[in-house]
Amino acid sequence: MYDVVVIGAGASGLVSSIVSARRGKKVLILEKNKKVGKKLLATGNGKCNITNQRPTFERFYSQNPKFIRDIFEGYGYHSIKKFFKSIGLELIEGKEGRVFPMSLQASSVVELLKVECEELGVKIICDSEVTRVLKEESSYKIRYGVEEVESKSLIIATGHLSAPQLGGVDFGVNFAKKMGHRTIKPFPALVQLTSPLKNLERMAGVKVDSKVTLKRKEKTIQKRGDVLFTSYGISGLAILDISRSVMEELKHCSEVTLEIDLMPKMSSEQLLSMMKKSLVKRSKKPITIWLQGFINKKLIVPILKPLKLQFLTVGAISHKEIELIVNMIKSFKFKIDGSRGYKGAEVATGGVDTREVNPKTMESKIVKGVYFTGEVLDVDGDRGGFNLHFAWVCGFRAGESV
C-alpha cells in the first residue's frame, strides 16, 4: 500500500512526489513515457524557462480567476528558487523576468528532480500507462499493464492535450469526468496560426520584428516580437503570444484579421519622409526593386498587389501612392482561420473546473483523496515561464497536503 501514487512524471508530478516524500510518505510515480520529464526537456528550446520573477495574476487565464489568486498566495518566485536550490540547481535571470537553470540545459532540471526523487525513496516506473482506477472504501486501486497497486491517495499530474508527440494526453480530464467533475472545453494556445490566404509560399521564411494587433469588440490586443511567415500561415514569438486571444475570437467566427506593423521602430511619418526623399524623378526603376531598400523582397508583392501598384516605376509613383504603401507596411492585414492544433501548441487551455478543486491543497472537492495538478486544470499562462511556475506551485500544494 502506497501513501501516494502520482500519475505523470512531468513538472508538477515530480515536485509533488519530492515534497510528499520529504514528509515521510511512501510514493510511487507512474509515467506512460519511457523517460520522466519529456515535456520539460523541450521547454525554452531546451534551456528550460523554469519560472518568471514576476508571476503576476494577469499573466494567467482561467474561467475561475479567484483560484489563481488563492493558489499563488505565499508562493512567489523566491519559493521556486529556494526549492530548486534545495536540490542543487542554481538559477539565472534573463530578459523580461525569465528565469533559467544556470546550466541553460533542461536536462539538468529533469536529472536533478529525478535523482532527488530516487534519494528520497520515491519509486518511478516508466512505460506504464494507467488503464484503470477503482475507488475502494478508503483507498484506490490503480492498474497499469498487468500490474495493480493500491494507494491511500492519488495525484493526477498527467498534463493535457498539448504536444501529443511529447506525451500530451487527456487521461486526467477524462478521469475527472468519470469521477463527477465538470470540465472546461479546451483549445490549443501558444500555437502557430493558419491562414486561408493564397500563395503563402511567396512570403515563407521571412522573419520580421513586428507589432501585431487584434481588434476585438471588448478591447484591442497588441503583442510585440518577431513574426515568421510560413507556407501554412504565421508563427514567431509575437504570434504565439497573441494566439490565445485569436483562438478565443475564432470560437465566434470563421476568420479573424491581424494587423501587422512590419516596421514598429519607425512612425508612419518617419517612413513616409524617408521614402519621399529616396524618390528619383523620371527614374524607370521598377517600384519592386526600389522597395528592396526598405523591406524584405518577399513581402513587396503582397504589399503592392492589393494596391495594384506592383507594375509602377519609381518615376511614375505619386505621393498619395507612397502614403498607401506606408499604410500597408504599418498595417499589413493577415487573415487567420485556425491553428496548427495541439501538436504545435505549448499549452492547452481548459481542463478540470477549478471551482471543484481546493486551491490550498489541490484536493478534489468532489472525491476525497484525489489531487489535480498542472495543465490538467483549467489554468494556463503566457509564454515566459508562467506555465511552469503554475506547475511547480501545484506540486508544492499537493505534496504538502496528501
Side-chain angles (χ1 to χ4, degrees), residues 372-400:
F372 294 101
T373 65
E375 199 184 353
V376 73
L377 292 161
D378 173 39
V379 177
D380 61 285
D382 287 337
R383 183 181 57 84
F386 298 101
N387 287 291
L388 275 180
H389 183 89
F390 176 69
W392 308 131
V393 174
C394 285
F396 295 158
R397 293 276 193 194
E400 289 163 357

Side-chain angles (χ1 to χ4, degrees), residues 60-350:
F60 298 87
Y61 311 94
S62 173
Q63 300 230 349
N64 177 25
K66 185 178 183 299
F67 182 86
I68 298 169
R69 291 185 176 275
D70 289 346
I71 192 175
F72 286 152
E73 189 178 347
Y75 287 92
Y77 163 57
H78 292 290
S79 301
I80 309 295
K81 190 173 182 178
K82 183 180 178 182
F83 170 80
F84 280 107
K85 197 171 184 67
S86 78
I87 67 168
L89 188 79
E90 297 295 335
L91 306 182
I92 57 170
E93 294 152 6
K95 294 178 181 178
E96 298 175 335
R98 292 182 177 89
V99 179
F100 299 86
M102 191 172 281
S103 65
L104 293 177
Q105 289 183 298
S107 57
S108 301
V109 182
V110 174
E111 284 297 322
L112 283 165
L113 287 169
K114 182 178 175 234
V115 168
E116 184 71 11
C117 282
E118 291 168 347
E119 289 189 347
L120 288 165
V122 175
K123 187 175 181 180
I124 302 173
I125 306 177
C126 292
D127 216 2
S128 56
E129 186 169 1
V130 174
T131 55
R132 191 177 71 178
V133 177
L134 289 178
K135 189 179 187 312
E136 302 286 299
E137 197 168 307
S138 58
S139 66
Y140 293 88
K141 285 187 177 175
I142 304 104
R143 178 172 290 180
Y144 60 98
V146 296
E147 303 292 327
E148 191 170 85
V149 291
E150 193 170 357
S151 179
K152 295 175 186 174
S153 55
L154 277 178
I155 295 177
I156 308 299
T158 53
H160 205 352
L161 288 166
S162 64
Q165 69 278 18
L166 300 176
V169 292
D170 58 359
F171 171 88
V173 173
N174 288 336
F175 171 79
K177 284 180 183 176
K178 288 177 183 174
M179 289 293 196
H181 274 269
R182 290 177 297 188
T183 60
I184 309 299
K185 189 176 179 181
F187 59 83
L190 297 180
V191 66
Q192 311 93 337
L193 301 173
T194 58
S195 173
L197 295 173
K198 294 178 181 178
N199 302 317
L200 287 168
E201 62 278 356
R202 283 182 180 172
M203 295 182 282
V206 177
K207 184 187 279 190
V208 189
D209 176 41
S210 305
K211 182 169 71 176
V212 184
T213 301
L214 172 67
K215 291 179 179 176
R216 300 180 71 177
K217 284 182 181 178
E218 64 275 20
K219 63 178 177 177
T220 294
I221 297 153
Q222 290 187 326
K223 299 294 179 181
R224 176 75 185 269
D226 63 66
V227 168
L228 175 66
F229 293 94
T230 70
S231 59
Y232 58 79
I234 202 164
S235 184
L237 298 181
I239 299 305
L240 295 182
D241 288 343
I242 208 166
S243 62
R244 192 188 200 281
S245 299
V246 171
M247 296 305 294
E248 282 273 15
E249 196 72 2
L250 284 170
K251 288 180 182 178
H252 315 294
C253 53
S254 59
E255 280 182 4
V256 299
T257 299
L258 292 176
E259 294 179 14
I260 305 171
D261 181 349
L262 298 166
M263 289 189 180
K265 292 180 181 177
M266 189 175 287
S267 70
S268 296
E269 292 74 22
Q270 288 171 324
L271 181 57
L272 183 62
S273 175
M274 183 183 287
M275 285 187 165
K276 284 180 177 178
K277 285 176 183 176
S278 76
L279 286 178
V280 177
K281 290 181 181 179
R282 294 184 293 279
S283 170
K284 293 182 180 179
K285 184 189 292 183
I287 190 174
T288 51
I289 300 297
W290 172 69
L291 274 174
Q292 288 185 40
F294 301 93
I295 200 159
N296 189 294
K297 64 182 180 181
K298 281 190 169 187
L299 298 177
I300 292 171
V301 172
I303 286 168
L304 293 177
K305 198 171 181 181
L307 303 173
K308 298 180 180 178
L309 299 176
Q310 68 269 37
F311 301 116
L312 278 183
T313 61
V314 171
I317 193 170
S318 69
H319 282 197
K320 182 65 178 175
E321 286 165 336
I322 296 175
E323 287 178 9
L324 292 173
I325 293 168
V326 168
N327 289 339
M328 185 66 84
I329 290 171
K330 296 292 288 178
S331 183
F332 184 62
K333 306 291 193 297
F334 200 89
K335 288 183 179 179
I336 301 295
D337 63 357
S339 79
R340 293 283 274 178
Y342 292 111
K343 190 171 183 180
E346 291 185 22
V347 296
T349 69

Side-chain angles (χ1 to χ4, degrees), residues 339-367:
S339 79
R340 293 283 274 178
Y342 292 111
K343 190 171 183 180
E346 291 185 22
V347 296
T349 69
V352 178
D353 191 331
T354 56
R355 284 166 286 208
E356 298 176 344
V357 176
N358 185 331
K360 301 297 183 184
T361 64
M362 311 313 298
E363 187 174 16
S364 164
K365 294 177 181 179
I366 308 293
V367 189

